[in-house]
Amino acid sequence: MASIFTRIIAGEIPSYKVAESAHFYAFLDVFPLAEGHTLVVPKVEVDNIFDLDPELYKQLFSFAQTIAQAIQQAIPCRKVGLSVVGLEVPHAHIHLIPINQISDMNFSREKSKADDAALVATRDKIVAFL
C-alpha cells in the first residue's frame, strides 16, 4: 500500500506544495512544530533515508538546502533546523523547521492542525523566495 506521502505526491491527498522537481516534493506539515515547518520527500518510496541511492541522497539534501534557504528568508527565525526521524511515516523524509532555540525541534510536543488560510499564506511566503 502506498504511503501517505506517495499519495500526496500523486495528488490523491491535498497538500500545501512548496516546491517540486522530477525526483522530490516539498510541502508544509499540516501539524507544524512552527510556522514554515516543511517536509521534503523523495518521490521514490523508500522507508529508510539511508537506503536511498547515494546520488539521489545527495540530490535530496541539495533540494532541501534550496527550500531551507527560502524558509530562512520568509519566516523570522535564527536558523532552519533539519531533522530526519522517519518513525511516523514509512517514507524517507526531511523536516525543515524554523527555530529560535533547540526546544523548537521537540517532536514530543503536542501539535495542532494548522489553519488552512495560515498554511496558504505561509506557503506563499516561502514560494516567493524560491
Side-chain angles (χ1 to χ4, degrees):
M1 181 153 116
S3 77
I4 190 169
F5 292 164
T6 297
R7 294 180 63 212
I8 287 170
I9 293 163
E12 296 172 17
I13 297 174
S15 69
Y16 300 89
K17 180 171 71 171
V18 172
E20 182 175 14
S21 74
H23 301 288
F24 309 108
Y25 194 87
F27 58 100
L28 294 180
D29 191 321
V30 296
F31 293 98
L33 288 176
E35 179 189 11
H37 183 166
T38 301
L39 301 172
V40 181
V41 301
K43 289 185 175 179
V44 61
E45 190 173 315
V46 173
D47 182 13
N48 187 332
I49 198 165
F50 299 115
D51 290 337
L52 287 171
D53 170 81
E55 186 57 35
L56 192 64
Y57 178 88
K58 288 187 259 183
Q59 291 173 12
L60 173 64
F61 277 84
S62 179
F63 185 80
Q65 180 181 29
T66 301
I67 305 302
Q69 290 168 339
I71 293 169
Q72 179 82 45
Q73 293 177 299
I75 308 296
C77 61
R78 286 181 55 200
K79 294 191 178 215
V80 174
L82 180 149
S83 181
V84 176
V85 182
L87 297 174
E88 61 281 3
V89 177
H91 189 134
H93 60 286
I94 295 171
H95 293 264
L96 298 175
I97 305 167
I99 61 172
N100 292 303
Q101 54 198 13
I102 191 71
S103 61
D104 293 340
M105 296 281 293
N106 181 353
F107 283 86
S108 62
R109 277 194 346 237
E110 187 165 336
K111 298 175 278 189
S112 58
K113 189 167 186 330
D115 173 80
D116 181 63
L119 288 166
V120 169
T122 298
R123 179 202 54 211
D124 292 348
K125 284 194 281 190
I126 296 168
V127 168
F129 289 100
L130 289 172

